[in-house]
Amino acid sequence: MSSKHLPLWEVFIRSRRGLDHKHIGSLHAADASQAMQSARDTYTRRQEGVSIWVVRSSDIHASQFEDDSAFFDPAADKVYRHPTFYDVPEELKL
Amino acid sequence: MADTSTPDALSRFEQTIAAEEKIEPRDWMPDKYRLNLLRQISQHAHSEVVGQLPEGNWIGRAPSLRRKAILLAKVQDEAGHGLYLYSAAETLGVAREEMLDDLLSGKAKYASIFNYPTLSWADVGAIGWLVDGAAIVNQISLCRTSYGPYARAMVRICKEESFHQRQGFEIMQTLAAGSADQKAMAQDALNRWWWPSLMMFGPHDAESAHTQQSMQWKIKRQSNDELRQKFVDQTAGQAAHIGLVIPDPELKWNEGRGHYDFGPIDWDEFNRVLAGHGPCNRARLAARRAAHADGEWVRDAMLAHAEKQRARATDAAA
């Protein structure tokens, strides 16, 4: 019996043309083509997708939860980036 | 997925388009479709990037902190829109560096309106109101383009663009309600930006080199003239609301057509500017080239830093 673990892969599915691929879950597989087949069998048994991406989980770099506030706060006080900040009569269609 | 031009692949491509479905990057597509898209998306990206320059001219001279923060945010958005579009173009198999080289060498085009100067603060208002207004009319239509990555970029851009037009209109509204001098400044800006804004939609349909094929492939969903008319119709009321006069004696509501009629566009001017002889063509490209050259040490430093981090990680592991 092998003592090696199969690496983890993240699966992204495009549910139909025109939409972005969306993360749907993960699975274990030895290489990309196995991951692709498993993804098909695991996540698209009911025609949930027209395209699949698989990415090694270790290749994904995520923002750190502890840094959340320092990372995202600068956008919080810039209300002028939203169209609702400007007072324009509705009928002018701006 | 077919990788050669078989009749099967072509008919599948055509069926996808006919069914109002999107073409995605790994689908087979005719070379001309790919090239047509590349030309349009990269030109669009270049326009976002060069479009930062006329407004950037006024960031340091904005009349208040509020206006300055807004203008900074807007110009930052334009840079972001350039990035979305370059990314969409890259899915067609062309490297970003290649597109940038084409821009800097003068081979690629960008919206000719950015070759006009921003002479007063009111020009910042006129650009937001008219130039972004015209861009939005075009971009809303392009949210339905047949190429998936382009359509998705357009949706994101349209969401962000709405504030651009409103902040510009607000500047014009404020100036128009101000002193006689301020109102005159707003009117002068409108006078100078009106016709170039109408030219942004490109030549009349009958003279447009790419329209027919682009419409057939649903890259473009509405013709230049349709979009131009839409822009005139919505802008006429906005100008009237703030008491400014659109510089076209022939502009008049046509009850029968249900649209505004408007006067002839000076296509000689359009062609002159497009050919490189507008007031600021050379200055814009020179500024882009200088910015690219001045940024080289930053790009080098990023690579050197990453290399150092890699070397350290390797040392630590050894």
Side-chain angles (χ1 to χ4, degrees):
Chain A
M1 203 175 100
S2 166
S3 61
K4 271 190 159 175
H5 293 297
L6 296 175
L8 190 62
W9 298 74
E10 300 300 323
V11 182
F12 299 81
I13 305 256
R14 186 201 297 290
S15 58
R16 63 181 171 83
R17 286 164 177 281
L19 299 181
D20 288 309
H21 285 78
K22 201 173 157 206
H23 185 246
I24 189 153
S26 53
L27 50 80
H28 291 268
D31 64 18
S33 75
Q34 287 178 21
M36 189 61 81
Q37 289 191 7
S38 292
R40 181 199 62 188
D41 297 342
T42 311
Y43 292 111
T44 64
R45 290 194 306 281
R46 289 172 184 76
Q47 294 186 299
E48 287 92 339
V50 295
S51 167
I52 300 175
W53 286 350
V54 289
V55 181
R56 278 284 288 264
S57 306
S58 57
D59 284 335
I60 291 182
H61 301 264
S63 57
Q64 299 298 309
F65 179 68
E66 311 86 72
D67 303 338
D68 263 12
S69 56
F71 205 59
F72 297 112
D73 271 3
D77 61 352
K78 295 178 178 59
V79 283
Y80 46 81
R81 283 208 168 108
H82 299 276
T84 43
F85 179 73
Y86 304 89
D87 200 12
V88 173
E90 191 61 38
E91 70 272 16
L92 292 184
K93 292 183 189 155
L94 273 152
Chain B
M1 193 189 338
D3 54 4
T4 50
S5 171
T6 63
D8 256 12
L10 181 62
S11 89
R12 204 176 149 187
F13 169 84
E14 284 171 344
Q15 278 165 22
T16 305
I17 301 246
E20 287 292 324
E21 297 222 28
K22 304 295 182 205
I23 303 297
E24 294 292 349
R26 302 207 178 184
D27 294 342
W28 180 88
M29 58 188 87
D31 281 345
K32 272 180 79 178
Y33 177 82
R34 201 176 66 83
L35 291 174
N36 213 332
L37 267 173
L38 248 183
R39 180 188 50 78
Q40 182 169 329
I41 302 175
S42 62
Q43 273 183 24
H44 199 157
H46 298 327
S47 302
E48 299 282 355
V49 170
V50 177
Q52 295 174 94
L53 298 171
E55 291 177 297
N57 182 36
W58 282 90
I59 291 175
R61 287 176 284 158
S64 69
L65 185 57
R66 179 184 183 275
R67 296 283 186 211
K68 184 174 181 167
I70 291 170
L71 185 56
L72 259 176
K74 176 184 189 298
V75 172
Q76 188 187 21
D77 273 359
E78 306 299 359
H81 296 174
L83 294 180
Y84 302 162
L85 286 160
Y86 282 128
S87 299
E90 280 177 301
T91 64
L92 292 161
V94 170
R96 184 172 308 201
E97 288 74 17
E98 233 174 286
M99 291 183 265
L100 285 180
D101 286 348
D102 285 350
L103 171 65
L104 297 181
S105 72
K107 186 178 154 201
K109 292 203 163 57
Y110 54 86
S112 64
I113 193 143
F114 298 121
N115 292 313
Y116 291 86
T118 41
L119 303 177
S120 79
W121 170 251
D123 288 22
V124 173
I127 288 179
W129 175 34
L130 302 173
V131 178
D132 288 273
I136 291 171
V137 167
N138 188 34
Q139 289 171 168
I140 285 177
S141 178
L142 285 172
C143 289
R144 290 168 54 236
T145 188
S146 60
Y147 188 55
Y150 192 26
R152 291 190 287 276
M154 280 299 110
V155 170
R156 207 166 298 134
I157 288 175
C158 282
K159 269 192 207 154
E160 299 181 356
E161 194 96 43
S162 166
F163 114 68
H164 297 183
Q165 194 192 13
R166 282 169 167 238
Q167 65 84 35
F169 184 75
E170 193 194 59
I171 291 173
M172 296 301 266
Q173 189 174 27
T174 307
L175 289 171
S179 68
D181 281 350
Q182 286 172 321
K183 185 168 184 180
M185 190 164 89
Q187 182 63 53
D188 171 61
L190 171 56
N191 292 349
R192 283 180 291 108
W193 290 95
W194 175 253
W195 290 106
S197 298
L198 293 197
M199 294 174 198
M200 280 177 72
F201 296 96
H204 287 308
D205 298 347
E207 277 102 49
S208 174
H210 306 289
T211 290
Q212 205 192 354
Q213 181 70 83
S214 287
M215 298 274 286
Q216 196 189 332
W217 279 331
K218 300 185 182 172
I219 295 174
K220 282 167 77 164
R221 304 307 308 256
Q222 286 167 291
S223 74
N224 298 353
D225 285 329
E226 282 176 87
L227 294 167
R228 187 168 15 241
Q229 182 71 59
K230 203 169 167 206
F231 173 71
V232 171
D233 288 349
Q234 69 186 39
T235 311
Q238 295 163 1
H241 180 82
I242 53 176
L244 295 180
V245 181
I246 288 177
D248 178 0
E250 295 180 44
L251 185 82
K252 197 167 167 266
W253 177 252
N254 182 326
E255 195 67 53
R257 289 204 311 129
H259 291 292
Y260 279 88
D261 291 334
F262 53 98
I265 293 168
D266 181 357
W267 294 111
D268 287 342
E269 177 182 328
F270 177 74
N271 290 323
R272 234 178 6 254
V273 179
L274 206 60
H277 307 300
C280 298
N281 294 59
R282 276 187 293 272
R284 298 295 182 233
L285 265 192
R288 263 326 300 156
R289 287 186 190 125
H292 195 69
D294 291 349
E296 187 162 7
W297 72 270
V298 180
R299 297 189 292 277
D300 289 347
M302 287 169 76
L303 287 170
H305 177 72
E307 190 49 50
K308 200 159 88 182
Q309 296 296 319
R310 248 194 310 275
R312 275 191 192 155
T314 314
D315 285 352

